[in-house]
Each structure stands twice: as C-alpha cells, then as structure tokens.
C-alpha cells in the first residue's frame, strides 16, 4: 500500500507500506499488519491508539527518508529473519508497548545482528522480548538506557 497523495485512514493487512512526502497515513485505532517493509519517505503516520505489527518471514526493513518515526504500540511477530532499520531513519519512538516474538533480531544497518545502536528509553510501556533477544551495545560508543520509574524490561 502506497500513500501518494492526501490522507488515508485504515487499519488492515498490507504487504508493504510506503508513505510519501506530504501525505498522511492514519490508523483507525486497531491493528495495521505489514508482512513486508515499512517505508516513510517524509510523510506523516498518525498511529492513534492502535498497534503496528510487522509480521511475515524473512528479512524486512523499516526506514525511508524520514529522520524519525513514531508508533503507538509496535509488535514484531515474524517467523524469522532480521528487522533492519535503514535509510535516514535514526529514531524509532514507540509510545505504547514494544513486543518482539520468536527469534527476532532488531538492528540498524550496518550494525551486526542483534545490536541496538541507539539510546533506549522506556517511559511506561512494556518491552517483552519473548524468546527473542537483543544486545545493548554500541561498539565502544556511549549509550543511554533510561525511562520513568514505571518502566521494566522482561
């Protein structure tokens, strides 16, 4: 699904999602399922109270030309493969819960698998890694892990 003009409101199931510059994708408050790649090329995504779920097997990418992207709750529910951040997107903000399931590796290219190279802040949501894992490492660069007193990692 590609948003090329105007505003599109939905929560459905898509292969790939691309939000072009000057356009808006709005969640209707339920779940947007994406089995392919998520690309924001300078548009606006309004997550409402819904969940964005990246699923499907194999390697997938989130990124685009947007410097940062925001989601309410974000779920990675894949049969395997890495979810790699790329393009100009350096910040992924999740306002609700982050849930990773079975064997997921999050990485920001060109980091090695399972490395989270940015600061980690949990401000009240729940991080549940399931049977996945992550390594909080920045290869010698400083990293911040922070949040409000209500946060926790499981």
């Amino acid at each position: 699904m590609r948003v090329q003009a105007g505003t599109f409101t939905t929560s459905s199931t898509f292969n790939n999602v691309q939000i072009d510059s000057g356009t808006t994708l709005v969640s209707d408050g339920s779940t947007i399922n994406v089995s392919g790649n998520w690309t924001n090329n300078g548009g606006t995504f309004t997550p409402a109270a819904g969940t964005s779920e990246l699923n499907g097997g194999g390697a997938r990418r989130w990124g685009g030309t947007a410097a940062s992207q925001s989601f309410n709750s974000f779920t990675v529910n894949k049969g395997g493969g890495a979810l790699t951040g790329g393009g100009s997107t350096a910040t992924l903000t999740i306002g609700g819960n982050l849930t990773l399931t079975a064997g997921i590796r999050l990485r920001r290219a060109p980091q090695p698998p399972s490395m989270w190279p940015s600061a980690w802040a949990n401000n009240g949501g729940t991080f549940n890694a399931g049977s996945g894992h992550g390594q909080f490492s920045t290869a010698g660069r400083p990293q911040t892990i922070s949040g409000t007193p209500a946060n926790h990692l499981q």
Side-chain angles (χ1 to χ4, degrees):
M1 190 262 309
R2 183 174 180 188
V3 183
Q4 293 179 289
T7 298
F8 183 66
T9 301
T10 188
S11 285
S12 191
T13 299
F14 304 101
N15 181 25
N16 296 305
V17 169
Q18 180 173 323
I19 308 165
D20 290 345
S21 179
T23 66
T24 301
L25 174 61
V26 179
S27 169
D28 68 8
S30 55
T31 300
I32 294 178
N33 292 290
V34 180
S35 62
N37 300 317
W38 179 279
T39 305
N40 185 336
N41 286 327
T44 300
F45 174 59
T46 304
T51 297
S52 301
E53 181 171 315
L54 299 179
N55 49 44
R60 301 291 183 239
R61 295 183 63 83
W62 61 265
T65 61
S68 65
Q69 297 191 47
S70 296
F71 297 88
N72 180 46
S73 290
F74 190 79
T75 299
V76 181
N77 186 14
K78 297 167 40 45
L83 175 60
T84 304
S88 299
T89 302
T91 302
L92 182 65
T93 301
I94 301 166
N97 296 325
L98 170 62
T99 303
L100 308 177
T101 51
I104 303 308
R105 296 176 295 152
L106 286 179
R107 62 183 175 180
R108 169 114 172 93
Q111 297 294 327
S114 301
M115 287 195 132
W116 298 337
S118 303
W120 175 276
N122 181 350
N123 292 310
T126 299
F127 168 67
N128 183 346
S131 61
H133 68 280
Q135 176 182 347
F136 290 95
S137 174
T138 57
R141 294 185 312 260
Q143 183 177 42
T144 302
I145 300 173
S146 65
T148 61
N151 77 14
H152 63 279
L153 301 175
Q154 293 180 332

